[in-house]
């Protein structure tokens, strides 16, 4: 089976490529990348005017399967991924039951393989049941296909527990993904603490709730010489803590979400619960710091924290609405916007969604080198489209961007050479 992707602008940061080239796929793998490849008997995909990138990787996704399928499942979640140009996701373990044992890991991997439209790499929990008191069987879980460990949704409260988790995970070089939050400082807050929370009469979450937890986890990573990945950095302080730690040689990486580099807590005015997530939308100063962190390489990856919730869990009073928004289908245009605004070069933007997260997850994806699996995204960077709830593949519609016109979208997504999504 041969496919020739012709005349696209190939942007493959891993291999320092950004030029108009053809890509030949044979039996699901990249066979050649060159100009004017002779098609022979290959099926031709005309990519003129399109960007051709490695399939995008979203390293922070909640698929809600098993147990919370009324919000999302592996089928709909990976369809949403494919529609967003994403060919690989790492999924968080806060499912029911929690991904803390081999049976659940095997279920997720098998369902994704058999019925999914994207590769799914499970992240297992740090503690059993995410309860915070006993470490999960990390070695066995890693062996079973997990790419790292996290109690995401919750912090690992106990410092000693986090220390042991880092030490244990380090014996097989797996990262711990930290949801950095000091719950005693969050103290029941519902949005960022600042002038807007005061005006709205909502209890605030101060930036120090994130910074204090980030600082602790970075120090523990430094102390143990283990790998730490800080999820969804949203404050100026946490970006700076990661920057300084990297300069000291700490093995720390981090990610930022499109919502944290696009929106401020001003979006909460009107009490729109689709502006409620954890960490919360912050101040303009924080947004600027996150964008600077993306630009200077402090932030390694853009990840969505795709967090589907049912309408009934969002259509309630702001203070009691669940945290989180869906993100897979708006990742690409929001990231390309940073290119339009000259925050990032196109190559940087693509790296943040491909080779960088691949390196953190330790997966053989995010590259269009000869021999690699042909996961590929064809992008029309100029096409405008409006986010319509009815057209989203995700089962949940909790996005603050419904009704918003975006620029740029995936027009075709290939998974090991097979088209899993096409936009006409
Ligand atoms: O907004 C969020 N949603 N933050 C989290 O930490 C958890 C996530 C979820 O699972 O809904
Ligand atoms: Zn989180
Ligand atoms: Zn999350």
């Amino acid at each position: 089976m041969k496919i020739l992707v012709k005349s696209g602008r190939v942007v493959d940061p891993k291999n320092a490529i950004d030029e108009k080239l053809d890509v030949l796929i044979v039996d699901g793998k990249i066979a050649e990348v060159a100009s004017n490849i002779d098609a022979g008997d290959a099926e031709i995909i005309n990519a003129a005017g399109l960007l051709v990138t490695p399939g995008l990787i979203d390293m922070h996704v909640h698929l809600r399967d098993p147990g919370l399928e009324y919000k999302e499942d592996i089928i709909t979640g990976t369809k949403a991924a494919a529609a967003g140009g994403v060919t690989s996701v790492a999924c968080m373990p806060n499912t029911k039951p929690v991904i803390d044992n081999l049976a659940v890991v095997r279920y997720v991997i098998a369902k994704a393989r058999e019925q999914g439209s994207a590769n799914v790499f499970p992240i297992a929990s740090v503690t059993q049941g995410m309860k915070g008191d006993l470490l999960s069987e990390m070695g066995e879980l890693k062996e079973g296909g997990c790419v790292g460990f996290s109690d995401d949704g919750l912090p690992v409260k106990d410092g000693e527990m986090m220390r042991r988790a880092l030490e244990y995970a380090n014996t097989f070089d797996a990262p711990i993904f930290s949801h950095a939050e000091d719950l005693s400082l969050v103290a029941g807050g519902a949005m960022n603490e600042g002038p807007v929370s005061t005006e709205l009469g909502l209890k605030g979450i101060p930036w120090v709730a994130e910074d204090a937890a980030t600082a602790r986890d970075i120090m523990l990573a430094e102390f143990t010489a283990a790998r730490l990945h800080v999820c969804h950095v949203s404050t100026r302080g946490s970006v700076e803590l990661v920057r300084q730690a990297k300069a000291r040689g700490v093995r720390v990486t981090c990610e930022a979400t499109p919502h944290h580099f696009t929106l401020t807590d001003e979006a909460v005015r009107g009490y729109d619960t689709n502006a409620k997530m954890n960490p919360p939308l912050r101040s303009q100063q924080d947004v600027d710091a996150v964008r600077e962190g993306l630009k200077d390489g402090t932030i390694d990856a853009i990840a969505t924290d795709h967090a589907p919730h049912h309408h009934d869990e969002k259509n309630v009073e702001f203070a009691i609405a669940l945290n989180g928004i869906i993100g897979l289908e708006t990742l690409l245009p929001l990231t390309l916007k940073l290119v339009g605004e000259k925050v990032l070069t196109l190559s940087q933007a693509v790296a943040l969604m491909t080779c960088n997260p691949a390196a953190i997850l330790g997966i053989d994806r995010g590259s269009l080198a000869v021999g690699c699996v042909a996961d590929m995204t064809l992008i029309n960077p100029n096409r405008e489209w409006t986010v319509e709830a009815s057209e989203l593949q995700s089962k949940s519609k909790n996005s603050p961007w419904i009704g918003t016109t975006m620029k740029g979208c995936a027009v075709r997504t290939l998974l090991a050479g097979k088209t899993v999504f096409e936009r006409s």
Side-chain angles (χ1 to χ4, degrees):
M1 190 45 187
K2 286 189 186 179
I3 301 165
L4 184 64
V5 180
K6 224 172 162 40
S7 306
R9 175 174 169 191
V10 177
V11 183
D12 177 14
K14 176 83 197 284
N15 301 297
I17 291 172
D18 180 354
E19 62 180 292
K20 194 171 157 189
L21 292 167
D22 297 347
V23 183
L24 180 67
I25 300 169
V26 178
D27 296 334
K29 296 209 164 146
I30 307 291
E32 193 182 354
V33 183
S35 44
N36 300 314
I37 298 175
D38 181 12
D41 55 355
E43 173 196 341
I44 297 200
I45 296 176
N46 180 8
L50 303 179
L51 306 176
V52 175
T53 69
L56 308 183
I57 300 169
D58 186 344
M59 64 181 299
H60 189 144
V61 167
H62 297 270
L63 289 177
R64 309 300 194 202
D65 190 349
L68 301 164
E69 295 90 345
Y70 68 96
K71 299 176 195 254
E72 191 82 283
D73 61 40
I74 287 169
I75 299 171
T76 58
T78 58
K79 271 192 182 167
V86 173
T87 54
S88 293
V89 302
C91 65
M92 286 297 176
N94 61 340
T95 48
K96 254 187 177 166
V98 167
I99 306 179
D100 67 356
N101 65 81
L102 273 186
V104 185
V105 172
R106 288 187 184 130
Y107 161 81
V108 170
I109 291 175
K111 184 162 177 184
R113 190 167 291 157
E114 288 158 20
Q115 301 178 63
S117 305
N119 306 303
V120 175
F121 298 95
I123 293 171
S125 63
V126 172
T127 65
Q128 294 180 28
M130 292 176 53
K131 290 198 175 83
D133 43 20
L134 291 166
L135 284 182
S136 54
E137 288 292 346
M138 291 186 185
E140 166 179 304
L141 290 159
K142 176 87 194 324
E143 199 64 28
C146 290
V147 289
F149 305 93
S150 183
D151 277 359
D152 182 58
L154 294 170
V156 176
K157 257 198 258 183
D158 187 87
E160 155 84 357
M161 186 67 65
M162 189 58 141
R163 172 193 175 170
R164 297 299 170 207
L166 284 159
E167 285 173 341
Y168 193 12
N170 200 27
T171 62
F172 31 86
D173 207 37
I176 300 286
F177 299 83
S178 166
H179 169 107
E181 184 182 26
D182 182 325
L183 290 174
S184 65
L185 290 165
V186 170
M191 67 171 291
N192 184 49
E193 181 176 311
V196 184
S197 67
T198 305
E199 274 183 53
L200 295 180
L202 291 170
K203 186 159 169 27
I205 303 171
W207 54 258
V208 69
E210 177 170 330
D211 295 19
T214 304
R216 183 203 72 173
D217 286 350
I218 285 174
M219 293 192 129
L220 287 171
E222 191 162 20
F223 179 70
T224 58
R227 287 180 60 197
L228 174 75
H229 177 81
V230 185
C231 295
H232 42 54
V233 294
S234 76
T235 63
R236 184 172 60 139
S238 48
V239 175
E240 186 54 29
L241 284 161
V242 172
R243 185 179 285 120
Q244 289 171 6
K246 283 186 167 183
R248 293 199 300 282
V250 181
R251 297 168 76 205
V252 61
T253 55
C254 71
E255 74 196 23
T257 72
H259 45 278
H260 290 118
F261 64 66
T262 304
L263 302 173
T264 67
D265 55 3
E266 292 288 338
V268 180
R269 286 189 197 279
Y271 301 92
D272 178 6
T273 59
N274 286 329
K276 183 176 181 185
M277 64 287 285
N278 190 20
L281 298 173
R282 303 283 189 183
S283 70
Q284 187 63 53
Q285 232 187 9
D286 294 307
V287 171
D288 292 344
V290 169
R291 291 158 78 102
E292 186 54 38
L294 288 163
K295 189 185 178 76
D296 74 9
T298 300
I299 298 171
D300 303 270
I302 293 174
T304 64
D305 200 0
H306 179 83
H309 290 300
H310 192 275
H311 180 72
D312 294 350
E313 297 166 323
K314 280 296 202 180
N315 191 28
V316 293
E317 202 183 312
F318 194 89
I320 59 170
L322 294 187
N323 280 308
I325 60 167
I326 55 169
L328 282 164
E329 294 170 81
T330 47
L331 162 70
L332 184 52
L334 293 169
T335 301
L336 289 176
K337 199 152 176 267
L338 294 180
V339 179
E341 292 167 357
K342 307 251 185 284
V343 175
L344 300 176
T345 65
L346 182 59
S347 173
Q348 276 182 307
V350 173
L352 285 156
M353 299 185 289
T354 58
C355 51
N356 291 6
I360 296 165
L361 298 170
I363 59 175
D364 57 349
R365 292 295 192 283
S367 162
L368 295 177
V370 170
C372 289
V373 176
D375 290 355
M376 193 186 286
T377 305
L378 272 53
I379 298 164
N380 182 334
N382 298 315
R383 180 156 159 186
E384 296 195 355
W385 60 286
T386 301
V387 184
E388 306 276 9
S390 61
E391 283 170 23
L392 292 172
Q393 300 295 319
S394 177
K395 221 179 256 190
S396 292
K397 314 295 170 189
N398 52 316
S399 164
W401 289 291
I402 305 285
T404 304
T405 297
M406 305 246 163
K407 192 174 161 188
C409 58
V411 291
R412 190 161 178 152
T413 308
L414 281 76
L415 189 67
K418 186 171 157 258
T419 297
V420 285
F421 173 78
E422 202 175 350
R423 199 183 300 260
S424 52

